[in-house]
Amino acid sequence: MIQNWTSVCVRCHGPDETGSKTEGRAFFHNEYQPHLSSYGEMVLSPNSGVDVLFESNIDDEGAESWINADLVAVVEAEGMLSSIRRLTGHDSSMWVFGWGTNKSQLGTDLSSIHRFSLRNVGISGLAILRLKPSATQSGLLDIKSNGSTDEDESEAALGNERYPYQLSIPTIGKRLTLHGSGFGLIAPSVLINNISQGIVANIIHPYRAARRADEQANSLVLTDAKFLPGMEGGAVSWDETGELAGLSMLPIRRTDGEPVDISLVIPVACIVAAVSPYITIPRQPLQPDHIAALNSSSFINARQAVVMVQVGQTWASGVIISRSGHILTNAHVFTSFLDNISNRTWPNLRSGISLRVRIDSPQQQLWVDDCELVFVSESCWDVALIKIPETCVLNGFLPYLPLKTPEEISRLKPIVKGTPLFAIGHGIFGPSSGILPLITSGICSKVVTHAEKPVMLLSSAPVHRGNSGGVLVNTDGQFVGLVTGNGKTSTGRTITHLNFAIPLDAITVAVNAYLLDEDRKWLDRLNTPPIRVDDIWSLRGNAPVWDPIEKVSSKL
């Protein structure tokens, strides 16, 4: 169910001598002079104003009737700065907020997020607007319900029956919809109030050990729904119920230009707490929410079996595939760290290069340093195998995803073009963040076959730096492919929605045979794929063969 949340288009206007407004904030005279009232409150600059456009106030000819609004207050969405601090970890210099990659927008200073201020208001600030009475007197506003006045309606939209909300605890995998006006000011009559859909990719608690329900409900939500400039502050709703889930935040981006196709959402519980001094909203009880969330036991186990692999100063993902502690990941993760004399069936890392693995559970994280690099493939099968000590357990168990036999795979529902898939891995955020793996959603774009067997899976689930060695799972949480990487443009830019994975069918026989007797001859078979399979993974096509062109006589 997609409820038509009224995500209005908001514009600010006023003096802009230094171009500060084009940086996205009207709270400033210029970049160096934030404007505070004599009481220390955040206010608009003199001669500035705010206008609001409802979709219903655009006529058939495209004429727009904007409504003036007053800025009532700017309040903090508490907990969001702490969640962002956890997300960026110790490398906050690698991150900016807004739409530029090398310069932060005004009010998005990550070095100041220990305390809410004008320097970071663009990250966790919520602006409360009140439509001016002249709008109702001129008939521009017509959204009355339940006998409320126009002023009541504009202030209390969160709390009436027409726009319901619930204080639910967000759950991984739950489907949601972003409402907003992406690029709205270019052509409001065309672009106002559009939507984008995705799932909850991760939940970042303000504190590492969030246990109480209210702490979890006030946690930053990450989603793989596509986010466009101008959608900031738009409503986010749960697909199944249409209820309000939160509001969209400014996007977070890497300063090195690596794409980040993940959007941030302030949860509704956090918003209600922030605006309650100004707007009366009926108190709602917290509700655990399990609607259509990916929280089956098999899916939870799949996420817990995905580990972070750190080699030197870089990181990737991996998946535990045996109770003995064998981890499957990608060979390319290690290529530049091997010594020159290594036989990849007996690989060695260069002197001084460390290898460690982080195992996660919701209650505990464990770094394992004494890892053995067992195998690094030299072929198109981008596979490496790591072994950790069997004594490394979390709460008495080691989560793992066993590789199915060819017979078991044949009994599964086959992966075909259009099959829903989910990518699980430690994309984007590195070891210092300490967060659990991201989950992104998509479909199988194509199954590439050779000799009637799948040899490559293409998926549209967004995959980022750090996802290498992660897993593709189906809607039942079953491991179906090992993520190897993305497509890239000729300039080297990553295409996050085009990723490649090795189907388990292609490697399960060799890897399972090794797990039985640990004879490396089985793994060595992965180094000799058919030539055509190597061509497929190298994206080499056959040269076109043209029919000869017959000479045409010039005689009539």
Side-chain angles (χ1 to χ4, degrees):
M1 179 202 309
I2 300 176
Q3 182 158 316
N4 188 24
W5 283 91
T6 306
S7 288
V8 298
C9 196
V10 179
R11 68 183 182 190
C12 300
H13 55 85
D16 190 32
E17 294 88 352
T18 62
S20 63
K21 191 174 71 174
T22 61
E23 293 288 345
R25 296 291 171 268
F27 298 109
F28 303 87
H29 284 298
N30 58 51
E31 189 170 353
Y32 304 101
Q33 293 181 324
H35 189 71
L36 296 174
S37 72
S38 57
Y39 298 100
E41 298 174 331
M42 299 182 193
V43 296
L44 290 173
S45 302
N47 302 315
S48 295
V50 180
D51 298 329
V52 175
L53 178 66
F54 286 80
E55 190 171 7
S56 58
N57 287 353
I58 302 173
D59 66 21
D60 289 341
E61 302 301 320
E64 305 155 7
S65 298
W66 291 78
I67 302 173
N68 297 129
D70 291 320
L71 177 64
V72 176
V74 176
V75 295
E76 178 187 8
E78 292 190 13
M80 295 302 97
L81 292 180
S82 296
S83 294
I84 294 297
R85 193 159 60 243
R86 281 201 61 204
L87 199 62
T88 57
H90 304 302
D91 55 353
S92 60
S93 62
M94 290 297 298
W95 301 95
V96 293
F97 269 83
W99 295 103
T101 57
N102 53 11
K103 182 181 179 182
S104 295
Q105 290 186 195
L106 293 176
T108 61
D109 181 5
L110 282 171
S111 67
S112 68
I113 58 176
H114 289 80
R115 185 175 65 87
F116 182 62
S117 69
L118 274 169
R119 293 176 63 187
N120 53 52
V121 65
I123 300 175
S124 64
L126 297 170
I128 302 174
L129 304 178
R130 179 189 290 115
L131 302 180
K132 293 187 176 180
S134 58
T136 59
Q137 294 169 3
S138 62
L140 291 178
L141 187 62
D142 184 21
I143 55 173
K144 291 184 179 180
S145 67
N146 304 323
S148 63
T149 66
D150 295 298
E151 184 174 330
D152 291 336
E153 189 73 39
S154 63
E155 288 191 355
L158 274 173
N160 62 35
E161 295 177 6
R162 181 171 175 176
Y163 298 108
Y165 79 98
Q166 65 176 9
L167 294 185
S168 60
I169 301 172
T171 46
I172 299 294
K174 189 175 179 184
R175 298 202 65 84
L176 47 72
T177 298
L178 274 57
H179 307 252
S181 302
F183 299 106
L185 289 183
I186 296 175
S189 61
V190 178
L191 300 173
I192 190 172
N193 213 18
N194 50 70
I195 66 170
S196 173
Q197 291 186 307
I199 65 168
V200 175
N202 211 335
I203 300 166
I204 312 302
H205 308 305
Y207 312 101
R208 288 184 183 271
R211 294 287 186 271
R212 300 197 317 266
D214 60 330
E215 291 177 330
Q216 296 183 48
N218 282 278
S219 299
L220 176 68
V221 174
L222 275 59
T223 174
D224 61 359
K226 193 68 176 176
F227 184 79
L228 299 174
M231 295 183 78
E232 304 94 317
V236 180
S237 63
W238 300 123
D239 280 12
E240 292 80 3
T241 63
E243 294 168 323
L244 186 66
L247 296 179
S248 297
M249 295 175 65
L250 271 174
I252 189 170
R253 296 192 174 276
R254 291 184 61 90
T255 55
D256 59 9
E258 278 283 325
V260 181
D261 279 333
I262 292 293
S263 306
L264 311 180
V265 177
I266 302 174
V268 65
C270 187
I271 297 166
V272 170
V275 304
S276 58
Y278 302 89
I279 302 174
T280 303
I281 301 174
R283 184 74 177 173
Q284 298 286 339
L286 283 167
Q287 303 176 29
D289 195 350
H290 303 289
I291 301 176
L294 302 175
N295 51 10
S296 65
S297 58
S298 58
F299 210 101
I300 292 173
N301 185 66
R303 192 180 187 216
Q304 290 180 345
V306 172
V307 300
M308 178 176 285
V309 178
Q310 186 173 15
V311 191
Q313 297 301 309
T314 192
W315 86 94
S317 304
V319 54
I320 305 173
I321 58 172
S322 77
R323 67 177 71 230
S324 301
H326 293 91
I327 296 173
L328 200 61
T329 184
N330 287 157
H332 75 257
V333 174
F334 302 96
T335 302
S336 60
F337 298 105
L338 297 175
D339 64 27
N340 294 328
I341 61 173
S342 274
N343 175 340
R344 291 200 182 187
T345 308
W346 298 86
N348 291 304
L349 295 173
R350 294 199 313 272
S351 176
I353 299 298
S354 61
L355 167 61
R356 61 179 190 154
V357 167
R358 194 186 77 198
I359 307 170
D360 296 322
S361 81
Q363 290 77 32
Q364 184 182 359
Q365 291 183 333
L366 176 68
W367 278 105
V368 182
D369 294 316
D370 48 345
C371 304
E372 177 190 2
L373 183 57
V374 176
F375 173 76
V376 178
S377 171
E378 298 180 87
S379 75
C380 64
W381 297 132
D382 191 1
V383 172
L385 197 64
I386 301 170
K387 176 72 164 59
I388 61 174
E390 295 181 39
T391 54
C392 297
V393 295
L394 288 175
N395 300 323
F397 81 102
L398 186 67
Y400 71 100
L401 280 180
L403 299 184
K404 297 185 181 298
T405 65
E407 293 74 21
E408 290 172 326
I409 292 174
S410 68
R411 290 195 292 268
L412 296 178
K413 188 175 181 180
I415 303 298
V416 297
K417 190 182 295 185
T419 298
L421 294 174
F422 301 88
I424 308 177
H426 287 281
I428 309 175
F429 305 103
S432 65
S433 70
I435 69 172
L436 298 178
L438 287 171
I439 300 180
T440 55
S441 61
I443 61 170
C444 176
S445 307
K446 184 177 177 61
V447 180
V448 184
T449 61
H450 172 67
E452 299 184 348
K453 293 183 179 180
V455 295
M456 176 191 283
L457 298 178
L458 276 64
S459 165
S460 66
V463 163
H464 302 80
R465 175 186 179 186
N467 269 106
S468 294
V471 300
L472 277 184
V473 300
N474 60 19
T475 52
D476 295 322
Q478 295 168 326
F479 183 16
V480 298
L482 185 73
V483 175
T484 63
N486 306 85
K488 292 184 181 293
T489 66
S490 59
T491 59
R493 182 171 177 79
T494 299
I495 306 170
T496 58
H497 289 267
L498 173 61
N499 65 77
F500 305 92
I502 302 172
L504 285 196
D505 313 47
I507 59 174
T508 187
V509 172
V511 177
N512 275 336
Y514 169 79
L515 295 180
L516 286 175
D517 60 14
E518 296 199 347
D519 188 335
R520 301 192 189 211
K521 70 180 182 183
W522 302 114
L523 297 177
D524 201 40
R525 292 186 176 186
L526 295 174
N527 285 326
T528 55
I531 294 176
R532 176 56 188 150
V533 173
D534 190 66
D535 287 342
I536 290 170
W537 276 97
S538 300
L539 301 183
R540 287 193 295 263
N542 295 319
V545 178
W546 306 104
D547 292 331
I549 301 176
E550 296 182 5
K551 292 184 178 180
V552 179
S553 173
S554 61
K555 295 180 180 180
L556 297 176

